[in-house]
């Protein structure tokens, strides 16, 4: 288990506490959720970057949404 100590300015701390109180959620749960969402975003970005690199390596050209819609008769 990781135990963190985070220093916030008084203003930021109060905003954080207000959000926890408004949502009826513990400070720990909010922090855990934020960290997990951040880590998921990093992983998604990594996957996206790898997919884009693979796409560039294929040499394929993309088309605009308008062109796609025309091709599909939409």
């Amino acid at each position: 288990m990781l135990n963190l100590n985070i220093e916030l300015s008084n203003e930021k701390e109060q905003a954080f506490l207000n959000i926890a109180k408004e949502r009826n959620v513990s400070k720990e749960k909010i922090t855990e959720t934020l960290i997990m969402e951040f880590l998921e975003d990093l992983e998604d970005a990594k996957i996206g970057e790898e997919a884009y690199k693979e796409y560039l390596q294929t040499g394929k050209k993309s088309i605009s949404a308008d062109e796609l819609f025309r091709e599909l008769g939409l």
Side-chain angles (χ1 to χ4, degrees):
M1 174 190 290
L2 176 63
N3 190 4
L4 297 175
N5 182 20
I6 302 171
E7 291 187 31
L8 298 173
S9 68
N10 289 338
E11 183 179 301
K12 289 177 183 174
E13 179 183 13
Q14 193 57 54
F16 183 77
L17 294 173
N18 289 343
I19 290 170
K21 184 177 180 180
E22 289 170 5
R23 295 177 183 232
N24 196 30
V25 178
S26 71
K27 297 178 292 185
E28 294 78 13
K29 185 64 179 173
I30 289 176
T31 304
E32 179 183 347
T33 299
L34 289 171
I35 291 170
M36 292 309 299
E37 287 178 3
F38 176 75
L39 294 174
E40 289 170 4
D41 288 348
L42 287 177
E43 183 63 23
D44 289 345
K46 180 181 175 184
I47 291 168
E49 288 171 5
E50 290 172 3
Y52 184 64
K53 285 179 188 176
E54 288 177 22
Y55 165 74
L56 291 176
Q57 289 174 350
T58 67
K60 293 181 182 177
K61 299 294 179 194
S62 63
I63 62 173
S64 69
D66 288 337
E67 290 176 81
L68 176 63
F69 295 151
R70 272 195 303 279
E71 287 181 15
L72 297 173
L74 301 175

